[in-house]
Amino acid sequence: NFDVGSAAGEDLAEALNAVKAHKLAFWDAMLWATCLRAGSTTLFTEDMQDGRTLRGVRFVNPFVAKNARYLP
């Protein structure tokens, strides 16, 4: 099972900081900031650098064969 969460107002400032500091695209930064606030440790995405960890949130591309171990 996966929990579902939504962005909150405080995620916007965090995302804008990530855009500046880490060169993330805005919507990618919003996803990351929402995951960070929610306590998620993994963000499944094909749009960010696979394997990168940013403040405890690891980006995992679900379409890369080696990442199958992370999928249910």
Side-chain angles (χ1 to χ4, degrees), residues 2-38:
F2 291 97
D3 292 332
V4 177
S6 60
E10 62 264 28
D11 299 334
L12 178 59
E14 191 75 58
L16 291 174
N17 288 333
V19 167
K20 288 181 187 177
H22 302 287
K23 308 297 186 220
L24 297 180
F26 173 74
W27 290 111
D28 293 339
M30 279 297 292
L31 286 171
W32 167 80
T34 302
C35 287
L36 180 67
R37 179 184 45 78

Side-chain angles (χ1 to χ4, degrees), residues 1-69:
N1 286 339
F2 291 97
D3 292 332
V4 177
S6 60
E10 62 264 28
D11 299 334
L12 178 59
E14 191 75 58
L16 291 174
N17 288 333
V19 167
K20 288 181 187 177
H22 302 287
K23 308 297 186 220
L24 297 180
F26 173 74
W27 290 111
D28 293 339
M30 279 297 292
L31 286 171
W32 167 80
T34 302
C35 287
L36 180 67
R37 179 184 45 78
S40 299
T41 58
T42 305
L43 173 56
F44 293 102
T45 177
E46 62 183 290
D47 295 328
M48 295 187 231
Q49 184 181 1
D50 182 52
R52 179 179 181 185
T53 299
L54 183 57
R55 292 185 49 199
V57 179
R58 181 183 178 103
F59 305 140
V60 175
N61 184 337
F63 300 110
V64 173
K66 69 179 174 101
N67 293 333
R69 64 182 179 215

